[in-house]
Amino acid sequence: MKSDIRRQGIMEFLMDAGQAGVDDLALLFGVSKMTVHRDLDELEESGFLRKVRGGASIQPSGLFESDFRYRQKQAIEEKQRLAAAAVGMIEPGQTVMIDDGSTAGGIARHLADLRPLTVITNNLDVIQDLAGAGGISLIALGGQYSKKFHGFFGLLAEASLKSLRADVAFLSSSAIHGASAFHQDQEVVQTKRLMMAAATRKYLLVDHGKFGRTALHFLTDLSAFDTVFTGRAPEPAMRAALDAAGVSLTVIDKGS
């Protein structure tokens, strides 16, 4: 088996399992443990996984954000609830900005009933969902495509954002610590900040599992958002801290 095909197979296995040991991968692909280590080193260098003791993981950490394909499989029902609720913040005729996150990206499937709209995004899933849709004027941000984040980033995307304005922006974040949002990747942080600066109203969509996590780069205080949508109420102490910081929190639970 060629190394690139084997590495793709390793990633596909991790998409389901989340993590795996070197011994298990060696047995699964019929290669030596040394070969698996070389594959994992290559995949880690490319940013697709992180090596851990005895194996590898694509689960998030403070320094590592998961591949978008793995994130798409997490908290699916909750993310769908958040997207369906957040779309209520949009009115026909507005300009809407959507970031690369899998949670915010779920809004795209709800936009048909609100046409006409202008949608600005760097999220390739959203671009593909809306390309050619009647009544949707789509502005796809340029830049360098990130396979890991399934979106476009870099100087071209940032320059475009500086020249655009939107009525409303929907963003996601990988970690909520205290009353602030964080992310592992500084280029992603820069793009999200520019989206916030370009929008009149800003909403954050985060599943409840993001609370109590931290990541390397500070994104923004949560009070910068008009409201933060989540699918389950935080613990009382955490909720009190958010209230004290002036954070508007909207909980969309299963009964909503």
Side-chain angles (χ1 to χ4, degrees):
M1 180 184 295
K2 293 183 178 180
S3 60
D4 56 341
I5 297 176
R6 186 175 59 251
R7 289 166 187 166
Q8 180 178 343
I10 290 173
M11 287 302 300
E12 290 173 352
F13 182 81
L14 288 171
M15 291 303 164
D16 293 325
Q19 61 183 15
V22 170
D23 291 344
D24 294 331
L25 293 173
L27 182 63
L28 179 64
F29 292 98
V31 295
S32 69
K33 290 190 287 186
M34 184 63 68
T35 296
V36 171
H37 275 295
R38 286 197 295 267
D39 288 338
L40 297 182
D41 286 341
E42 179 69 25
L43 290 167
E44 182 178 51
E45 186 175 347
S46 298
F48 292 117
L49 54 75
R50 58 189 175 96
K51 292 188 74 175
V52 296
R53 186 177 182 87
S57 173
I58 57 170
Q59 297 168 339
S61 71
L63 296 175
F64 176 84
E65 172 61 311
S66 302
D67 185 284
F68 86 97
R69 292 167 292 179
Y70 180 75
R71 286 183 280 120
Q72 281 183 323
K73 297 179 179 181
Q74 309 305 306
I76 295 174
E77 187 274 335
E78 182 177 352
K79 291 177 180 179
Q80 291 173 343
R81 276 190 278 124
L82 298 182
V87 77
M89 303 296 104
I90 305 171
E91 297 179 5
Q94 290 187 326
T95 297
V96 179
M97 194 170 284
I98 302 174
D99 79 354
D100 65 288
S102 59
T103 309
I107 289 173
R109 71 193 63 178
H110 299 283
L111 297 182
D113 294 336
L114 295 170
R115 297 175 290 185
L117 290 172
T118 296
V119 177
I120 303 168
T121 187
N122 67 330
N123 187 320
L124 186 54
D125 266 355
V126 174
I127 293 169
Q128 292 171 332
D129 286 345
L130 299 181
I136 302 290
S137 178
L138 178 63
I139 299 176
L141 295 174
Q144 183 170 349
Y145 174 70
S146 166
K147 184 177 180 181
K148 177 176 179 177
F149 294 109
H150 202 46
F152 297 88
F153 302 91
L155 294 177
L156 290 175
E158 292 168 12
S160 296
L161 285 168
K162 291 176 182 177
S163 68
L164 295 167
R165 290 294 179 269
D167 295 296
V168 57
F170 297 97
L171 293 91
S172 305
S173 185
S174 58
I176 304 296
H177 183 72
S180 300
F182 293 81
H183 198 279
Q184 297 88 341
D185 188 280
Q186 60 183 345
E187 196 167 51
V188 173
V189 166
Q190 178 64 7
T191 300
K192 291 178 187 289
R193 286 180 177 174
L194 289 171
M195 286 184 168
M196 294 178 66
T200 301
R201 292 181 290 117
K202 299 163 279 290
Y203 299 97
L204 183 69
L205 283 66
V206 283
D207 66 78
H208 74 278
K210 303 294 172 52
F211 286 86
R213 291 185 183 177
T214 190
L216 180 61
H217 299 288
F218 170 78
L219 171 58
T220 185
D221 291 324
L222 296 182
S223 57
F225 295 99
D226 290 81
T227 197
V228 176
F229 288 92
T230 191
R232 185 188 301 175
E235 297 295 326
M238 187 177 297
R239 179 61 187 264
L242 294 172
D243 291 342
V247 177
S248 173
L249 187 70
T250 300
V251 178
I252 309 298
D253 57 31
K254 291 184 179 180
S256 298

